[in-house]
Structure formats: C-alpha cells, structure tokens
Amino acid sequence: MNVYSAVKNSITTRQAAEFYGLTVNRNGMCKCPFHKDKNPSMKVDKRFHCFGCQADGDVIEFTSRLFGFSRKAAAMKLASDFGIRYNGRVSHISTGRRPISEEEKTEHQAAYFFRKLSDYRNHLIDWETEYAPVNPSDDFHPRFVEALKNLTQVENDLDILLSDDLNSKRMLISELMLKEKEVKSMNETDLVPVYYESPVYAREHKEIEKFRESHFENVNCRRAIEESISRHFDGMRLNKQAIDEVLEKYGAERVALVLAATVQIKSWDGRFSPANKDWAFTVRMPNTQSAMNYDRRDAYAVTSHPAVLDGFISHARKMIQEKEHSSIRDELKNPVMQPVKTALKHDSLER
Ligand SMILES: [Zn+2]
C-alpha cells in the first residue's frame, strides 16, 4: 500500500487535528486554522470541511495546509508521527514503540516555538533601536512599529511556553501554528522544486516522482489562489494580502507558472488584459508532451472569475518583480497591510 492510502486508511482528520494541537469539541468542530476563525466553524471527521472559508479535503490535504508541506511530505509526516506502515516499510518512529503522549507532544511543540519566538524577540529588540525615527518629522519605519507593537506580547508568550500550565500552552501553541505562516522566515528551501520536463522524460529518467510532486503542487497552488481570492475579494476590491499568502507558501516561480498557464489556456478571453497575456507567454512552462493527448495544465488552470483574476495577476507580477529585486532582508513581512484597489477595472491597473 502506498503512503497516501496507508495514511488515509489509518488516520482521520480529527485525529491529526488533535495530534497537532487543535482543540476539537464534542461535536467534532474546531476553530479553522486556515482562516481567522473566532468560533469553531470547521468540522473534522474522516475528512474536514470549514463552513467559514470552505476549506475542504482529506487528512493529507489538512496536514499539508497546516504545515505548508506538499502532499507527499504531509503524508510522510503523518506516517511518521502516527507510526503507519506503507510499502512494506515501517516508518522509523513506530517500531515497537508506543505513540508519544499528548503531553510530550505539547512539550515538543512548546520547545519549537520557544526557539522561534526567542529569535523573533531578538530581532524586535534590534529593530527598536535600529529603526527608531531620527527626526521628529520622520515617518515610523514599519519594523519600528512592529517592535513596539509586538515585543510585550512575544515576551508574554515566551513566559507561557516556559510555564507548567499545559492548557494555556496548548492554546498558545495552536495560535502560534496559525501565526507561523505569517511570521515565517523567508527561507524558501522547503518549497517543492518546479519540474519542467515532460512525463515521458521523467519516466525515462526515473524522475516520475519529481514530476508528480511538482504537478500536484501546481494543483495545490491553483486551489490556494482560488481560495485566497474568494476570501480576500469583497465584491469590489481584492486585498493584496491574497497574493502575499500564496507567494509565501508556493514561491514566486510556481505562482507565476500557474497564473501564466491559466492565461495561456484562456488566451481567447478578453477579460485578461493584453499586458498580462504578453507576460504569460514569456513565462517558462513545463513540457506537456505525453503519450495521452491532453494538456495537463488544465488541472491547474485557475477557475476564479477572469476579471478578478486579472487584477490578481497584475499585482502578483509586480510583487514577483519586486521580490526578484529586493534583498532577502527586505522580504521579511511588512506588517502594514494596505487594501489595494483592483478588480473589475483592470485597465487602470496597468498604469
Ligand atoms: Zn476556514
């Protein structure tokens, strides 16, 4: 049995949610980790479904989104964390050992976040002086504001992580898991590499796994774009945060690929601006040559409303360009979010 079916047959999403620190109530509801959820609006059972943001899927999808992993990495993590056998293999953690207890798990997570938050605290302390305004008329630098705003909170959190109060620790940890994506370092080495060769080539060169992983990641990226657009589009405007989120999780290269593939496939559609079409045909595409005569890119063509998507693409192009030109340091997330006017009047965006 392969790792995917082994995991899906053995672990429910509910078990995974609880294992990774979410609190699930008696009705199988928990606060959704994929949107800002005040009351539990996610049902976790064998699968999961959020009635707030419509996130939906199986236990692998859940874990993949929770940690920002590819499906494959998520499935392997689940197999390892729960000691599931697959392909005749026994994952290394399990052999003859009891599963780790709830308490141990909380302590592992607490240690992990303690390290992360300590690093962050050190940054904040530096920023407080490094970016302090020199003249009274200077605008506050966003990092200076961030330091003022977050330092006390971070120190409180560190105290909780060191305390013996298991409940507060667990609550904090699930909060931090959500925030992790936002404060996540700019380290992009955990991104799945984009694979450009054809399936035929991949098979001949024993790289079919790489091909598959990259293809599924394109599909995940497509879903993330659709989901992010639906969450950040209020009918008139698209919040720029929609783009930040997917860029951070999937990387500029893959986001560009998925967006460009969409425009290429739908290049007949007049709702995409000429500038975006020109751009789309400059983006490198995977080789789609295959024995079967169909375009695999259909699987990751974004289905959001073309006019809204066109606004998204225009902004994404700018941000991808900025990313290429800015230093790593500047990639640190700017905490000041500005809603950006976009959407239906895409022509005005091009100027
Ligand atoms: Zn949700």
Side-chain angles (χ1 to χ4, degrees):
M1 201 186 294
N2 71 28
V3 64
Y4 300 104
S5 9
V7 161
K8 279 199 275 189
N9 289 342
S10 335
I11 313 164
T12 65
T13 304
R14 178 175 181 148
Q15 287 170 316
E18 289 178 329
F19 187 85
Y20 295 128
L22 274 75
T23 311
V24 181
N25 71 20
R26 266 172 303 170
N27 305 322
M29 300 292 290
C30 67
K31 285 189 187 170
C32 172
F34 309 128
H35 80 275
K36 285 217 170 83
D37 200 5
K38 285 197 196 108
N39 303 304
S41 43
M42 178 180 275
K43 176 87 183 167
V44 282
D45 200 325
K46 191 167 168 56
R47 295 167 50 84
F48 69 96
H49 179 82
C50 173
F51 297 96
C53 69
Q54 307 300 321
D56 185 278
D58 60 22
V59 62
I60 299 172
E61 173 75 17
F62 180 85
T63 309
S64 134
R65 292 188 53 174
L66 193 63
F67 293 98
F69 287 179
S70 68
R71 265 184 84 76
K72 181 167 185 198
M76 313 253 291
K77 177 172 174 57
L78 284 163
S80 160
D81 289 348
F82 284 84
I84 309 285
R85 295 157 191 270
Y86 60 96
N87 283 349
R89 262 182 278 167
V90 183
S91 82
H92 59 282
I93 280 189
S94 71
T95 356
R97 267 204 256 159
R98 65 182 171 79
I100 58 168
S101 74
E102 282 298 303
E103 227 162 288
E104 281 171 299
K105 195 193 74 202
T106 306
E107 291 310 330
H108 289 168
Q109 290 169 331
Y112 167 80
F113 281 113
F114 188 84
R115 277 197 309 275
K116 288 223 141 182
L117 281 183
S118 307
D119 288 347
Y120 182 52
R121 176 174 173 271
N122 292 337
H123 281 299
L124 292 180
I125 288 171
D126 289 346
W127 293 352
E128 214 179 6
T129 48
E130 218 175 297
Y131 291 96
V134 184
N135 302 307
S137 59
D138 285 353
D139 281 338
F140 286 173
H141 192 284
R143 290 201 184 120
F144 177 72
V145 178
E146 188 174 341
L148 291 188
K149 222 174 65 184
N150 292 354
L151 200 50
T152 319
Q153 179 67 52
V154 168
E155 287 174 346
N156 285 344
D157 290 351
L158 286 167
D159 285 344
I160 293 176
L161 291 174
L162 281 182
S163 76
D164 292 331
D165 184 347
L166 209 57
N167 269 340
S168 310
K169 255 195 249 191
R170 282 189 181 139
M171 269 160 62
L172 177 59
I173 286 168
S174 48
E175 250 176 66
L176 289 171
M177 281 175 141
L178 295 186
K179 271 196 208 157
E180 192 174 30
K181 283 171 199 159
E182 292 169 34
V183 190
K184 195 177 146 198
S185 71
M186 52 271 129
N187 182 358
E188 289 196 345
T189 49
D190 59 344
L191 292 177
V192 176
V194 178
Y195 190 82
Y196 290 101
E197 303 299 342
S198 70
V200 176
Y201 177 100
R203 201 157 283 126
E204 282 168 2
H205 293 78
K206 304 228 180 305
E207 290 181 345
I208 198 72
E209 210 33 63
K210 282 187 194 167
F211 164 81
R212 278 205 190 110
E213 206 184 351
S214 179
H215 178 78
F216 284 131
E217 196 69 349
N218 291 342
V219 177
N220 289 338
C221 179
R222 181 209 92 202
R223 290 204 192 104
I225 291 171
E226 291 164 354
E227 195 262 338
S228 189
I229 286 180
S230 72
R231 242 179 328 115
H232 290 289
F233 183 65
D234 66 4
M236 282 301 291
R237 292 154 168 250
L238 182 69
N239 191 318
K240 206 164 114 191
Q241 207 183 335
I243 303 159
D244 274 332
E245 285 178 5
V246 282
L247 277 179
E248 191 172 330
K249 181 157 174 198
Y250 291 93
E253 186 183 5
R254 190 175 305 278
V255 172
L257 188 162
V258 168
L259 292 175
T262 306
V263 177
Q264 284 192 19
I265 291 170
K266 302 180 180 177
S267 58
W268 46 267
D269 193 323
R271 288 167 293 186
F272 292 113
S273 69
N276 282 343
K277 283 182 191 171
D278 288 346
W279 166 81
F281 285 94
T282 67
V283 175
R284 185 179 176 199
M285 284 291 128
N287 185 334
T288 53
Q289 177 210 348
S290 74
M292 260 91 67
N293 207 8
Y294 67 88
D295 193 340
R296 272 165 212 272
R297 296 178 307 169
D298 284 338
Y300 49 86
V302 181
T303 60
S304 309
H305 191 285
V308 184
L309 182 58
D310 192 59
F312 183 95
I313 294 173
S314 302
H315 281 293
R317 278 172 48 208
K318 275 185 208 140
M319 290 170 72
I320 290 168
Q321 230 179 3
E322 280 166 22
K323 259 197 156 184
E324 282 165 357
H325 293 131
S326 68
S327 67
I328 288 184
R329 219 194 135 91
D330 289 336
E331 277 182 37
L332 266 178
K333 200 163 164 87
N334 183 336
V336 185
M337 299 293 178
Q338 286 146 347
V340 172
K341 212 171 153 192
T342 97
L344 303 164
K345 285 174 249 155
H346 54 66
D347 288 336
S348 60
L349 285 167
E350 291 308 312
R351 279 151 219 155

